Amino acid sequence: MPVSASPHSPPAPHASAAPRRRLYWHRLFFGLWYRPVEILDEARDRSVWGAAAFLCLLCGALGTLGKDSFWEGWRVGPALALEAMAIADVVLVLASLLLGIATQAIARRLGGNGKFGPTVTLFVVVFWATDLPRLALDACLPGDSFPVRAAAWITSAFGYAFAALLIRGQHHLPTHKAVAAVSIQMLAAVALLKFPATTV
């Protein structure tokens, strides 16, 4: 016969919280565009090194395909052109990580308390996921064409806003401090990557 609990017995301990569901890459990449606040909140405190590296390599390849110098090198020797693409990808990965590290350091300096891995990797994901439309157009159209230039302005605005949202949530900073934490890196990267002097 089961024993009924005494009315004065201590309450049973709460069941452990259900594990967070896995955040797949495609949900992270595309979710940034149609529900960024929910996706960034779901990704909070998660390090996504694999997703960040994949996006860097993909965007580096797309950016290389949009350069006339790559196709000129391809006609001379495909192996050398692919080697140049690989070198560009490695440089892009390192530069992206440096941008994320700088963002983490500035956010901490402004009073943030976010973790290193999630901040760095999610910053890289946000930057390159929002840049994918421009890179896709740039691989097919001339870099100085109107669709490419318009995409550069639009994706820059979205990337800036999403990066500020990311830092605000990760580091529990007010909006103005989150914007300040990403301003230098985002403006420098946008000027060098999306509006280089050679395409003006």
Side-chain angles (χ1 to χ4, degrees):
M1 179 178 179
V3 178
S4 58
S6 167
H8 303 291
S9 59
H14 292 291
S16 59
R20 300 165 71 184
R21 65 173 177 168
R22 187 174 181 180
L23 182 60
Y24 292 98
W25 289 5
H26 69 278
R27 290 185 55 246
L28 176 60
F29 297 162
F30 298 111
L32 285 172
W33 284 101
Y34 61 87
R35 52 189 188 97
V37 176
E38 292 84 351
I39 284 294
L40 290 176
D41 185 64
E42 187 176 348
R44 184 175 298 171
D45 297 329
R46 300 193 191 199
S47 297
V48 287
W49 294 102
F54 171 78
L55 267 182
C56 286
L57 296 176
L58 174 61
C59 292
L62 284 174
T64 305
L65 291 175
K67 305 296 182 185
D68 292 336
S69 57
F70 171 80
W71 296 109
E72 292 171 1
W74 182 269
R75 285 191 290 270
V76 174
L80 290 176
L82 291 176
E83 183 179 345
M85 178 185 287
I87 293 173
D89 274 351
V90 171
V91 171
L92 192 65
V93 169
L94 294 176
S96 300
L97 290 177
L98 286 176
L99 287 175
I101 292 170
T103 302
Q104 165 72 6
I106 295 174
R108 283 281 195 172
R109 187 81 176 181
L110 294 176
N113 57 2
K115 298 178 181 178
F116 177 84
T119 299
V120 173
T121 56
L122 287 170
F123 179 85
V124 173
V125 166
V126 164
F127 185 89
W128 290 116
T130 53
D131 200 34
L132 272 175
R134 179 193 68 88
L135 288 169
L137 286 175
D138 192 36
C140 306
L141 300 173
D144 57 351
S145 63
F146 176 77
V148 175
R149 304 292 284 183
W153 284 109
I154 294 170
T155 56
S156 298
F158 275 103
Y160 206 134
F162 293 167
L165 283 174
L166 167 68
I167 298 305
R168 188 181 69 175
Q170 288 284 349
H171 286 266
H172 305 95
L173 289 172
T175 301
H176 69 281
K177 287 190 175 183
V179 169
V182 301
S183 292
I184 297 175
Q185 307 86 274
M186 291 295 293
L187 291 175
V190 165
L192 293 172
L193 296 173
K194 298 190 181 188
F195 300 99
T198 55
T199 61
V200 174

